[in-house]
Amino acid sequence: MSTVVVLGSGVMGSALAVPLADNGHSVRLVGTHLDREIIEAIRRTRVHPGLGRELPPAVRAFALDELEAALEDADIVLSGVNSSGVRWAAERLAPLLRPGQLVVAIAKGVVADDDGSLHMLPEVLAEPVDEDLRARVGWAAIVGPSIAGEVAARRESCVVFCGDDQAVLDRLAAAFRTGWYHVWTSTDFVGCEISAAAKNSYALGIGFADGELERRGESDSPDRAHNYKAALFAQSTAEIRAWVALLGGQPETPLGLPGVGDLYVTSTGGRNVRVGHLIGTGLRFTEAAASLGNPTLEGAAAIKVFGTALGKLTERGVVDADDFPLMRHLYEVVALERPLAVPWSRFFGGESATATRGAVA
Protein backbone atom coordinates (compact mmCIF):
# COMPACT_ATOMS: atom_id res chain seq x y z
CA MET A 1 0.00 0.00 0.00
CA SER A 2 1.08 3.59 -0.65
CA THR A 3 1.25 6.75 1.42
CA VAL A 4 -0.36 9.65 -0.42
CA VAL A 5 -0.05 13.34 0.50
CA VAL A 6 -2.58 15.89 -0.80
CA LEU A 7 -1.46 19.52 -0.51
CA GLY A 8 -4.67 21.54 -0.36
CA SER A 9 -7.80 20.39 1.42
CA GLY A 10 -10.32 21.77 -1.05
CA VAL A 11 -13.19 19.64 -2.28
CA MET A 12 -11.46 17.89 -5.18
CA GLY A 13 -8.23 16.99 -3.43
CA SER A 14 -10.21 15.76 -0.45
CA ALA A 15 -12.67 13.80 -2.60
CA LEU A 16 -9.82 11.93 -4.24
CA ALA A 17 -8.90 10.59 -0.82
CA VAL A 18 -12.01 8.38 -1.02
CA PRO A 19 -10.94 5.99 -3.83
CA LEU A 20 -7.43 5.96 -2.39
CA ALA A 21 -8.73 5.00 1.06
CA ASP A 22 -11.04 2.39 -0.47
CA ASN A 23 -7.93 0.78 -1.95
CA GLY A 24 -6.21 0.64 1.43
CA HIS A 25 -3.82 3.57 0.97
CA SER A 26 -2.92 6.00 3.74
CA VAL A 27 -3.87 9.58 2.87
CA ARG A 28 -2.43 12.70 4.51
CA LEU A 29 -4.52 15.77 3.76
CA VAL A 30 -2.43 18.91 4.27
CA GLY A 31 -4.26 22.22 4.43
CA THR A 32 -2.86 25.43 2.99
CA HIS A 33 -2.79 28.70 4.93
CA LEU A 34 -6.34 29.24 3.63
CA ASP A 35 -7.59 25.84 4.86
CA ARG A 36 -7.22 26.16 8.63
CA GLU A 37 -10.96 25.94 9.33
CA ILE A 38 -11.30 22.91 7.05
CA ILE A 39 -8.47 21.06 8.77
CA GLU A 40 -9.84 21.92 12.21
CA ALA A 41 -13.31 20.69 11.20
CA ILE A 42 -11.93 17.40 9.88
CA ARG A 43 -9.90 16.85 13.03
CA ARG A 44 -12.90 17.61 15.20
CA THR A 45 -15.73 15.86 13.33
CA ARG A 46 -14.14 13.85 10.44
CA VAL A 47 -16.60 15.72 8.17
CA HIS A 48 -15.24 17.85 5.32
CA PRO A 49 -17.31 21.06 5.45
CA GLY A 50 -17.20 21.63 1.69
CA LEU A 51 -18.20 18.09 0.78
CA GLY A 52 -20.59 17.60 3.69
CA ARG A 53 -19.34 14.03 4.08
CA GLU A 54 -17.30 12.14 6.61
CA LEU A 55 -13.87 11.24 5.29
CA PRO A 56 -12.64 7.63 5.58
CA PRO A 57 -10.59 6.64 8.65
CA ALA A 58 -7.48 6.26 6.48
CA VAL A 59 -7.46 10.04 5.87
CA ARG A 60 -5.53 12.16 8.39
CA ALA A 61 -5.58 15.96 8.45
CA PHE A 62 -2.34 17.99 8.73
CA ALA A 63 -1.67 21.71 9.10
CA LEU A 64 0.61 23.44 6.60
CA ASP A 65 3.51 23.61 9.06
CA GLU A 66 3.41 19.79 9.15
CA LEU A 67 3.96 19.46 5.40
CA GLU A 68 7.60 18.33 5.69
CA ALA A 69 6.72 15.58 8.15
CA ALA A 70 3.76 14.48 6.03
CA LEU A 71 5.95 14.17 2.93
CA GLU A 72 8.79 12.30 4.61
CA ASP A 73 7.83 8.79 3.45
CA ALA A 74 5.18 9.66 0.83
CA ASP A 75 4.97 7.69 -2.41
CA ILE A 76 2.45 9.91 -4.22
CA VAL A 77 1.97 13.68 -3.89
CA LEU A 78 -1.13 15.49 -5.16
CA SER A 79 -1.20 19.24 -5.71
CA GLY A 80 -4.79 20.00 -4.72
CA VAL A 81 -4.64 23.80 -4.76
CA ASN A 82 -6.54 25.87 -7.35
CA SER A 83 -4.90 27.20 -10.51
CA SER A 84 -3.86 30.52 -8.92
CA GLY A 85 -2.01 28.63 -6.18
CA VAL A 86 -0.01 26.21 -8.31
CA ARG A 87 3.15 28.32 -8.31
CA TRP A 88 2.87 28.67 -4.52
CA ALA A 89 2.45 24.90 -4.19
CA ALA A 90 5.43 24.32 -6.47
CA GLU A 91 7.66 26.46 -4.27
CA ARG A 92 6.53 24.63 -1.12
CA LEU A 93 6.99 21.17 -2.60
CA ALA A 94 10.23 21.69 -4.54
CA PRO A 95 12.69 21.44 -1.61
CA LEU A 96 10.83 18.49 -0.07
CA LEU A 97 10.40 16.10 -3.00
CA ARG A 98 12.50 12.95 -3.26
CA PRO A 99 13.51 10.74 -6.22
CA GLY A 100 10.91 8.13 -7.09
CA GLN A 101 7.92 10.09 -5.84
CA LEU A 102 4.97 10.60 -8.17
CA VAL A 103 3.51 14.13 -8.36
CA VAL A 104 -0.03 14.61 -9.66
CA ALA A 105 -1.57 17.97 -10.66
CA ILE A 106 -5.29 18.44 -10.08
CA ALA A 107 -5.91 22.14 -10.90
CA LYS A 108 -6.77 23.09 -14.47
CA GLY A 109 -5.43 26.22 -16.09
CA VAL A 110 -2.82 27.64 -18.41
CA VAL A 111 0.00 30.19 -18.32
CA ALA A 112 1.58 32.17 -21.14
CA ASP A 113 4.99 33.66 -21.94
CA ASP A 114 5.34 37.28 -23.00
CA ASP A 115 5.15 36.22 -26.66
CA GLY A 116 1.86 34.34 -26.16
CA SER A 117 3.36 30.85 -26.01
CA LEU A 118 1.14 28.72 -23.76
CA HIS A 119 2.14 26.19 -21.09
CA MET A 120 0.19 23.69 -18.99
CA LEU A 121 0.13 23.89 -15.18
CA PRO A 122 2.18 20.71 -14.52
CA GLU A 123 5.10 22.59 -16.11
CA VAL A 124 4.60 25.36 -13.55
CA LEU A 125 4.49 22.75 -10.77
CA ALA A 126 7.79 21.23 -11.90
CA GLU A 127 9.60 24.48 -12.70
CA PRO A 128 11.25 25.23 -9.31
CA VAL A 129 12.38 21.62 -8.81
CA ASP A 130 16.10 21.04 -9.35
CA GLU A 131 16.62 19.76 -12.88
CA ASP A 132 18.28 16.52 -11.82
CA LEU A 133 15.56 15.74 -9.28
CA ARG A 134 12.85 16.76 -11.74
CA ALA A 135 13.96 13.98 -14.06
CA ARG A 136 13.76 11.44 -11.21
CA VAL A 137 10.22 12.35 -10.15
CA GLY A 138 7.15 11.07 -12.01
CA TRP A 139 4.79 13.83 -13.22
CA ALA A 140 1.12 13.39 -14.11
CA ALA A 141 -2.30 15.05 -14.01
CA ILE A 142 -5.94 14.01 -13.72
CA VAL A 143 -8.46 15.19 -16.32
CA GLY A 144 -11.99 14.32 -17.34
CA PRO A 145 -15.52 14.82 -15.96
CA SER A 146 -15.12 14.68 -12.21
CA ILE A 147 -17.43 16.60 -9.86
CA ALA A 148 -15.88 16.42 -6.40
CA GLY A 149 -19.11 15.71 -4.55
CA GLU A 150 -19.89 12.77 -6.82
CA VAL A 151 -16.42 11.31 -6.31
CA ALA A 152 -16.79 11.65 -2.55
CA ALA A 153 -20.20 9.96 -2.80
CA ARG A 154 -18.66 7.09 -4.79
CA ARG A 155 -20.70 7.80 -7.91
CA GLU A 156 -19.52 6.18 -11.15
CA SER A 157 -16.77 8.41 -12.57
CA CYS A 158 -14.52 8.00 -15.61
CA VAL A 159 -11.27 9.97 -15.70
CA VAL A 160 -7.94 10.06 -17.52
CA PHE A 161 -4.52 10.13 -15.88
CA CYS A 162 -2.11 11.82 -18.29
CA GLY A 163 1.65 12.22 -18.38
CA ASP A 164 4.78 11.48 -20.38
CA ASP A 165 5.72 8.17 -18.75
CA GLN A 166 3.36 5.23 -19.22
CA ALA A 167 4.91 3.32 -16.33
CA VAL A 168 4.12 6.20 -13.98
CA LEU A 169 0.55 6.35 -15.27
CA ASP A 170 0.10 2.61 -14.78
CA ARG A 171 1.25 2.89 -11.17
CA LEU A 172 -1.13 5.77 -10.50
CA ALA A 173 -4.06 4.08 -12.22
CA ALA A 174 -3.56 0.98 -10.07
CA ALA A 175 -3.47 3.12 -6.92
CA PHE A 176 -6.69 5.02 -7.69
CA ARG A 177 -8.84 2.63 -9.75
CA THR A 178 -11.86 1.11 -7.99
CA GLY A 179 -15.11 -0.49 -9.10
CA TRP A 180 -16.67 2.96 -9.40
CA TYR A 181 -13.67 5.26 -10.02
CA HIS A 182 -12.63 4.20 -13.52
CA VAL A 183 -9.22 5.28 -14.81
CA TRP A 184 -7.84 5.45 -18.34
CA THR A 185 -4.34 6.70 -19.20
CA SER A 186 -2.93 8.92 -21.92
CA THR A 187 0.57 10.04 -22.83
CA ASP A 188 -0.87 13.03 -24.71
CA PHE A 189 0.03 15.21 -21.74
CA VAL A 190 -0.36 18.52 -23.56
CA GLY A 191 -3.58 17.54 -25.34
CA CYS A 192 -5.25 16.40 -22.14
CA GLU A 193 -4.18 19.39 -20.05
CA ILE A 194 -5.03 22.03 -22.65
CA SER A 195 -8.44 20.42 -23.22
CA ALA A 196 -9.10 20.51 -19.48
CA ALA A 197 -7.98 24.13 -19.12
CA ALA A 198 -9.97 25.38 -22.10
CA LYS A 199 -13.22 23.65 -21.14
CA ASN A 200 -13.52 25.76 -17.99
CA SER A 201 -13.43 28.89 -20.14
CA TYR A 202 -15.97 27.68 -22.65
CA ALA A 203 -18.31 26.38 -19.92
CA LEU A 204 -18.56 29.94 -18.63
CA GLY A 205 -19.83 30.98 -22.06
CA ILE A 206 -22.43 28.21 -22.18
CA GLY A 207 -23.88 29.77 -19.03
CA PHE A 208 -24.92 32.80 -21.11
CA ALA A 209 -27.93 30.92 -22.52
CA ASP A 210 -30.13 30.72 -19.42
CA GLY A 211 -29.12 34.25 -18.44
CA GLU A 212 -30.35 35.54 -21.80
CA LEU A 213 -33.73 33.89 -21.15
CA GLU A 214 -33.91 35.61 -17.79
CA ARG A 215 -33.01 38.97 -19.34
CA ARG A 216 -35.89 38.57 -21.79
CA GLY A 217 -38.30 37.69 -19.00
CA GLU A 218 -38.75 34.17 -20.40
CA SER A 219 -37.32 32.07 -17.59
CA ASP A 220 -40.66 30.31 -17.15
CA SER A 221 -41.19 29.64 -20.85
CA PRO A 222 -41.39 25.97 -21.90
CA ASP A 223 -39.16 26.92 -24.84
CA ARG A 224 -35.64 26.84 -23.49
CA ALA A 225 -32.30 27.83 -24.98
CA HIS A 226 -31.01 24.37 -25.84
CA ASN A 227 -30.26 25.45 -29.43
CA TYR A 228 -28.14 28.30 -28.05
CA LYS A 229 -26.23 25.96 -25.71
CA ALA A 230 -25.72 23.30 -28.38
CA ALA A 231 -24.21 25.79 -30.82
CA LEU A 232 -21.86 27.14 -28.17
CA PHE A 233 -20.96 23.59 -27.16
CA ALA A 234 -20.13 22.69 -30.77
CA GLN A 235 -18.08 25.85 -31.34
CA SER A 236 -16.32 25.29 -28.02
CA THR A 237 -15.42 21.76 -29.08
CA ALA A 238 -14.04 23.02 -32.39
CA GLU A 239 -11.92 25.63 -30.63
CA ILE A 240 -10.62 23.19 -28.01
CA ARG A 241 -9.51 20.93 -30.87
CA ALA A 242 -7.79 23.93 -32.48
CA TRP A 243 -5.98 24.80 -29.25
CA VAL A 244 -4.76 21.24 -28.87
CA ALA A 245 -3.58 21.13 -32.49
CA LEU A 246 -1.79 24.45 -32.06
CA LEU A 247 0.17 23.12 -29.10
CA GLY A 248 1.01 19.76 -30.65
CA GLY A 249 -1.54 17.51 -28.96
CA GLN A 250 -3.35 14.60 -30.55
CA PRO A 251 -6.52 15.46 -32.51
CA GLU A 252 -8.66 12.75 -30.90
CA THR A 253 -7.97 13.84 -27.30
CA PRO A 254 -10.51 16.72 -27.18
CA LEU A 255 -13.24 14.36 -28.43
CA GLY A 256 -12.99 12.12 -25.37
CA LEU A 257 -13.15 12.51 -21.60
CA PRO A 258 -10.54 15.33 -21.33
CA GLY A 259 -12.47 17.54 -23.76
CA VAL A 260 -16.15 17.06 -24.58
CA GLY A 261 -16.72 14.82 -21.56
CA ASP A 262 -15.37 17.41 -19.15
CA LEU A 263 -16.97 20.30 -21.06
CA TYR A 264 -20.37 18.66 -20.69
CA VAL A 265 -20.18 18.14 -16.95
CA THR A 266 -18.67 21.59 -16.32
CA SER A 267 -21.35 23.31 -18.41
CA THR A 268 -24.13 21.75 -16.30
CA GLY A 269 -23.31 23.87 -13.23
CA GLY A 270 -20.71 25.37 -10.97
CA ARG A 271 -19.30 28.85 -10.40
CA ASN A 272 -18.09 29.41 -13.95
CA VAL A 273 -21.54 28.68 -15.35
CA ARG A 274 -23.24 30.83 -12.70
CA VAL A 275 -21.13 33.86 -13.56
CA GLY A 276 -21.84 33.23 -17.25
CA HIS A 277 -25.56 33.12 -16.44
CA LEU A 278 -25.35 36.51 -14.70
CA ILE A 279 -23.49 38.00 -17.66
CA GLY A 280 -26.31 36.71 -19.86
CA THR A 281 -28.80 38.69 -17.77
CA GLY A 282 -26.96 41.88 -18.71
CA LEU A 283 -24.36 42.28 -15.95
CA ARG A 284 -20.76 43.05 -16.77
CA PHE A 285 -18.22 40.48 -15.61
CA THR A 286 -17.03 42.40 -12.54
CA GLU A 287 -20.63 42.91 -11.39
CA ALA A 288 -21.45 39.23 -11.96
CA ALA A 289 -18.41 38.01 -10.04
CA ALA A 290 -19.06 40.43 -7.19
CA SER A 291 -22.65 39.25 -6.87
CA LEU A 292 -21.29 35.74 -6.23
CA GLY A 293 -18.83 36.99 -3.63
CA ASN A 294 -15.86 37.08 -6.03
CA PRO A 295 -15.13 33.34 -5.85
CA THR A 296 -12.17 31.67 -7.54
CA LEU A 297 -13.17 31.38 -11.20
CA GLU A 298 -10.66 29.18 -13.00
CA GLY A 299 -12.59 29.57 -16.27
CA ALA A 300 -12.38 33.35 -16.12
CA ALA A 301 -8.68 33.22 -15.20
CA ALA A 302 -7.99 30.93 -18.18
CA ILE A 303 -10.00 33.20 -20.50
CA LYS A 304 -7.72 36.09 -19.61
CA VAL A 305 -4.62 34.00 -20.37
CA PHE A 306 -5.96 32.47 -23.59
CA GLY A 307 -7.33 35.81 -24.79
CA THR A 308 -4.15 37.76 -24.10
CA ALA A 309 -2.12 35.03 -25.81
CA LEU A 310 -4.45 35.13 -28.81
CA GLY A 311 -3.67 38.80 -29.41
CA LYS A 312 0.06 38.12 -29.37
CA LEU A 313 -0.20 34.95 -31.46
CA THR A 314 -2.26 36.84 -34.04
CA GLU A 315 0.32 39.63 -34.18
CA ARG A 316 3.02 37.01 -34.76
CA GLY A 317 1.01 35.38 -37.54
CA VAL A 318 0.73 32.09 -35.65
CA VAL A 319 -3.07 32.23 -35.85
CA ASP A 320 -5.43 34.16 -38.14
CA ALA A 321 -7.64 36.98 -36.91
CA ASP A 322 -10.73 34.87 -37.71
CA ASP A 323 -9.58 31.95 -35.59
CA PHE A 324 -11.07 31.31 -32.13
CA PRO A 325 -14.02 33.74 -32.42
CA LEU A 326 -15.72 32.46 -29.26
CA MET A 327 -12.60 32.73 -27.09
CA ARG A 328 -11.93 36.19 -28.47
CA HIS A 329 -15.41 37.30 -27.43
CA LEU A 330 -15.12 35.63 -24.03
CA TYR A 331 -11.97 37.69 -23.54
CA GLU A 332 -13.80 40.86 -24.55
CA VAL A 333 -16.59 40.12 -22.07
CA VAL A 334 -14.46 38.93 -19.13
CA ALA A 335 -11.21 40.90 -19.42
CA LEU A 336 -12.37 44.04 -21.24
CA GLU A 337 -15.82 44.28 -19.58
CA ARG A 338 -17.63 44.63 -22.90
CA PRO A 339 -21.33 43.73 -23.21
CA LEU A 340 -22.33 40.29 -24.39
CA ALA A 341 -22.92 40.02 -28.14
CA VAL A 342 -22.27 36.42 -29.22
CA PRO A 343 -20.62 36.47 -32.69
CA TRP A 344 -22.81 33.71 -34.14
CA SER A 345 -22.02 34.42 -37.80
CA ARG A 346 -18.28 34.01 -37.17
CA PHE A 347 -18.66 30.49 -35.82
CA PHE A 348 -17.78 27.30 -37.73
CA GLY A 349 -15.59 29.10 -40.24
CA GLY A 350 -18.09 31.89 -40.94
CA GLU A 351 -21.80 31.70 -41.74
CA SER A 352 -21.50 33.11 -45.26
CA ALA A 353 -18.90 30.48 -46.14
CA THR A 354 -21.44 27.68 -45.86
CA ALA A 355 -22.94 28.61 -49.22
CA THR A 356 -19.79 27.44 -50.98
CA ARG A 357 -18.81 24.65 -48.61
CA GLY A 358 -22.27 23.14 -48.49
CA ALA A 359 -21.96 22.00 -44.87
CA VAL A 360 -20.20 22.71 -41.59
CA ALA A 361 -17.64 20.12 -40.59
Side-chain angles (χ1 to χ4, degrees), residues 116-329:
S117 299
L118 293 163
H119 303 278
M120 57 186 183
L121 290 186
E123 294 179 75
V124 177
L125 196 58
E127 188 176 316
V129 179
D130 178 79
E131 189 172 347
D132 179 63
L133 176 59
R134 193 186 311 163
R136 300 168 67 190
V137 168
W139 302 93
I142 306 173
V143 299
S146 186
I147 295 174
E150 294 186 16
V151 173
R154 297 180 174 85
R155 303 286 187 263
E156 301 287 342
S157 300
C158 296
V159 300
V160 176
F161 281 49
C162 58
D164 293 323
D165 188 330
Q166 186 62 53
V168 167
L169 299 179
D170 290 342
R171 285 177 59 191
L172 289 169
F176 281 80
R177 186 179 285 130
T178 71
W180 53 271
Y181 190 74
H182 309 284
V183 180
W184 282 258
T185 64
S186 173
T187 53
D188 184 15
F189 207 174
V190 169
C192 286
E193 279 290 281
I194 294 302
S195 293
K199 59 85 183 175
N200 279 330
S201 302
Y202 290 112
L204 186 151
I206 292 172
F208 296 156
D210 289 331
E212 288 255 22
L213 280 180
E214 185 176 326
R215 181 178 59 80
R216 297 173 185 174
E218 299 177 2
S219 295
D220 297 329
S221 171
D223 301 309
R224 307 309 298 162
H226 296 309
N227 294 344
Y228 187 125
K229 293 180 182 179
L232 287 185
F233 193 97
Q235 178 63 26
S236 298
T237 301
E239 293 194 15
I240 293 173
R241 292 188 73 190
W243 283 116
V244 169
L246 181 66
L247 295 170
Q250 298 174 8
E252 65 271 17
T253 296
L255 300 180
L257 292 169
V260 295
D262 211 349
L263 177 61
Y264 169 77
V265 79
T266 306
S267 66
T268 61
R271 290 171 291 187
N272 289 299
V273 175
R274 288 199 292 274
V275 80
H277 177 115
L278 291 170
I279 291 170
T281 67
L283 297 183
R284 299 299 174 92
F285 170 72
T286 299
E287 297 172 321
S291 72
L292 295 177
N294 291 310
T296 299
L297 295 167
E298 293 194 334
I303 285 169
K304 293 176 182 179
V305 177
F306 277 117
T308 300
L310 265 178
K312 296 175 180 179
L313 293 171
T314 303
E315 290 175 3
R316 291 169 51 198
V318 177
V319 300
D320 293 334
D322 292 332
D323 293 338
F324 303 98
L326 179 52
M327 183 61 79
R328 290 179 191 275
H329 187 55

